[in-house]
Amino acid sequence: MSALVTPDGSQLLIGGKLVPGGAGTFATVNPATEEVLGQAANGDAADMDAAIAAARTAFDAGSWSADPAFRARCLRQLRDSLRGHIEELREITIAEAGAPRMLTSGPQLEGPIGDLGYFAELAENYVWETDLGSAAPMGIKSGRTLRREPVGVVGAITPWNFPHQINFAKIGPALAAGATVVLKPAPDTPWCAALVGKVIAEETDIPAGVVNIVTSDDHGLGAQLVTDPRVDMISFTGSTQTGRGIMAGAAASLKKVFLELGGKSAFVVLDDANIAAASSYAAFSVCVHAGQGCALTTRLLVPRESYDEAVRAAAKAMSGIVPGDPGNAGTVCGPLISERQRARVEHYLDLARAEGGTVVTGGGRPEDAARGYFVQPTLITGLPNTSTVAQEEIFGPVLVVIPHDGDEDAIRIANESPYGLSGAVWGTDPDRIRRVVQGVRTGTLSVNGGVWYSADAPFGGYKQSGNGRELGVLGFEEYLEAKLIATAE
């Protein structure tokens, strides 16, 4: 374990103060070694109640919601302060999330911190009031103004796979909009959030109660956040199953809900594409961070006549990726986050075999990995799109290859899923690519390797992949309400 990793003693951030958890502490574990890194503050129901109260007071009684210039300054201040802790944050992220070092210079750390500057600019430059002109409904001449205002108190519940990216994708736009936040991060990555709380408390001018962070191993605190009537909005990223529960829990108070949920995205290869190159790319991408990404393309759809070629190329690419120490600069596929998650992935591999699938490469634990929650990159063939492993989100380095009989059939198969989060299309004919892109019902699509992740680009899904959008102007506006003001003239 690196000497840079934060020692025991992480604290909650509630009402501007760093405080111990009411339930004591709980262990945070290195998934690459199975060793306990140390202890994190364990919040309880009283802590969550205090955090919600602090956020409510900061929104209702403070000036935060009315001062976009100050909010922008605080966001830049937070960005710059976090950059001063970048190496400490990097080592925590590698050790706690099992994130490959190579990813921390991009979406696992440095990218999301930099994105805070984008939301600072939005706070400064967004048009908060729009003149709709005059009208005379019912003969009464009226001038109309559309005003956008912050939603209020936001409860943010986040997962462990990209802790900084997802935490900042909620905190950044919510603060820029003028909302206050209670963050409940995943219990698997508490230190990632706790250090951010320490920086906010000690190195920024963000007012007390504007950001509150409650780490805990008690999932009941998430439910408490969802059902509390003092919370105006829930922003959740995680599984579709949990998302359903959050939507139901929020219904009693009819609070606004943003959900970014699961995916089973299709990588569509057209018959005019370079089959080997496309299949290799798909195989590589599903191994990154051990396949623990909701938007990864885990179904490879290839022309039937090129199926064998695609399988050979994908198998060659996957067999060349060896799971390893995420701290090493060259590691692509690190560990799964926990023994529980590895058991889940292994269960799906057993199901694939039971349903008649063939494991072409991988299919188990690396022989030389005595410790750590590692699973080999695995390629599965011989199963239809209706099979369990082609329909359900596995969240591991597992790719299923499925044949298609032309562009329309590929669209049909891609859409034959309860999810609609992401996808990819590879081909050379622009008109055919356009038809497939328009036909696939999903929130983001990559064409020939294009990258859609960016602070100014909205991300989210169709169907059971959630509702609303994160990032970009659309993601920022999730944290706003619209008020129409009509003045008699």
Side-chain angles (χ1 to χ4, degrees):
M1 184 177 69
S2 168
L4 286 171
V5 173
T6 298
D8 294 351
S10 68
Q11 295 176 291
L12 313 180
L13 174 60
I14 299 176
K17 297 180 180 179
L18 297 171
V19 297
T25 63
F26 67 101
T28 182
V29 175
N30 184 330
T33 66
E34 303 182 39
E35 296 174 346
V36 173
L37 289 166
Q39 300 296 313
N42 201 4
D44 61 13
D47 293 322
M48 180 58 75
D49 181 74
I52 295 169
R56 186 77 262 168
T57 298
F59 184 80
D60 292 340
S63 60
W64 178 256
S65 64
D67 194 344
F70 177 60
R71 300 198 297 267
R73 183 169 70 81
C74 286
L75 281 166
R76 292 192 180 100
Q77 191 180 48
L78 175 58
R79 176 198 62 192
D80 296 343
S81 295
L82 290 169
R83 283 174 171 167
H85 292 268
I86 201 69
E87 295 309 321
E88 186 179 4
L89 284 163
R90 192 186 318 280
E91 298 304 324
I92 289 173
T93 308
I94 293 167
E96 195 171 54
R101 182 175 296 276
M102 58 179 284
L103 291 182
T104 61
S105 62
Q108 276 286 13
L109 180 62
E110 293 185 35
I113 288 175
D115 291 348
L116 293 172
Y118 169 78
F119 291 108
E121 292 176 7
L122 263 183
E124 287 177 327
N125 300 321
Y126 187 74
V127 178
W128 298 94
E129 290 191 0
T130 304
D131 185 355
L132 300 183
S134 296
M138 295 177 286
I140 302 172
K141 188 176 181 182
S142 305
R144 290 89 41 80
T145 300
L146 177 63
R147 177 175 170 78
R148 305 304 298 269
E149 298 179 343
V151 69
V153 175
V154 174
I157 305 173
T158 57
W160 42 261
N161 57 326
F162 282 79
H164 299 297
Q165 193 278 316
I166 300 170
N167 287 348
F168 293 136
K170 298 183 188 303
I171 292 173
L175 296 188
T180 59
V181 178
V182 178
L183 172 65
K184 169 63 172 68
D188 303 272
T189 51
W191 281 0
C192 287
L195 181 53
V196 173
K198 187 173 188 293
V199 170
I200 289 173
E202 296 180 349
E203 301 180 32
T204 76
D205 295 322
I206 295 174
V210 167
V211 179
N212 306 271
I213 299 176
V214 181
T215 58
S216 177
D217 65 357
D218 182 359
H219 292 283
L221 298 195
Q224 180 182 349
L225 191 56
V226 168
T227 56
D228 194 299
R230 293 170 296 178
V231 176
D232 300 293
M233 175 182 174
I234 294 294
S235 181
F236 170 76
T237 297
S239 73
T240 295
Q241 179 180 357
T242 303
R244 292 191 189 100
I246 285 175
M247 183 172 276
S253 56
L254 290 177
K255 57 172 55 73
K256 191 174 184 180
V257 177
F258 164 77
L259 301 173
E260 193 271 284
L261 307 176
K264 194 69 183 179
S265 303
F267 191 114
V268 178
V269 183
L270 306 183
D271 60 16
D272 63 346
N274 183 321
I275 302 296
S279 301
S280 298
Y281 187 96
F284 175 85
S285 66
V286 83
C287 298
V288 174
H289 193 29
Q292 297 172 118
C294 54
L296 292 177
T297 45
T298 53
R299 292 182 294 151
L300 175 58
L301 278 51
V302 299
R304 190 176 298 276
E305 62 272 17
S306 302
Y307 187 81
D308 291 342
E309 179 186 1
V311 170
R312 285 194 299 270
K316 181 179 180 181
M318 295 187 87
S319 62
I321 298 173
V322 179
D325 182 355
N328 293 338
T331 296
V332 171
C333 183
L336 297 173
I337 189 67
S338 64
E339 176 56 39
R340 180 184 66 256
Q341 181 60 24
R342 180 168 64 179
R344 171 185 168 86
V345 173
E346 291 175 332
H347 169 69
Y348 278 107
L349 298 182
D350 291 340
L351 277 176
R353 296 182 179 98
E355 293 182 357
T358 298
V359 174
V360 179
T361 187
R365 303 180 185 184
E367 293 180 1
D368 59 349
R371 302 281 289 175
Y373 308 124
F374 296 99
V375 169
Q376 296 168 317
T378 301
L379 185 68
I380 297 171
T381 63
L383 288 174
N385 191 56
T386 53
S387 65
T388 304
V389 293
Q391 286 293 304
E392 297 185 11
E393 185 176 46
I394 297 174
F395 232 59
V398 181
L399 182 65
V400 183
V401 190
I402 300 168
H404 68 76
D405 296 308
D407 298 1
E408 294 304 316
D409 191 45
I411 293 170
R412 177 191 64 79
I413 295 171
N415 289 336
E416 188 182 47
S417 168
Y419 300 109
L421 187 57
S422 188
V425 181
W426 278 53
T428 57
D429 185 327
D431 291 332
R432 290 177 63 191
I433 291 172
R434 187 179 303 109
R435 285 195 295 273
V436 174
V437 167
Q438 291 174 348
V440 176
R441 300 192 66 239
T442 188
T444 59
L445 274 166
S446 166
V447 176
N448 291 330
V451 178
W452 42 258
Y453 167 68
S454 180
D456 64 345
F459 173 71
Y462 290 21
K463 299 187 285 185
Q464 292 185 33
S465 287
N467 54 44
R469 291 296 181 269
E470 197 150 68
L471 301 178
V473 175
L474 289 179
F476 168 74
E477 290 179 336
E478 294 285 347
Y479 298 94
L480 298 177
E481 294 281 15
K483 177 182 287 183
L484 191 285
I485 305 162
T487 303
E489 296 179 337

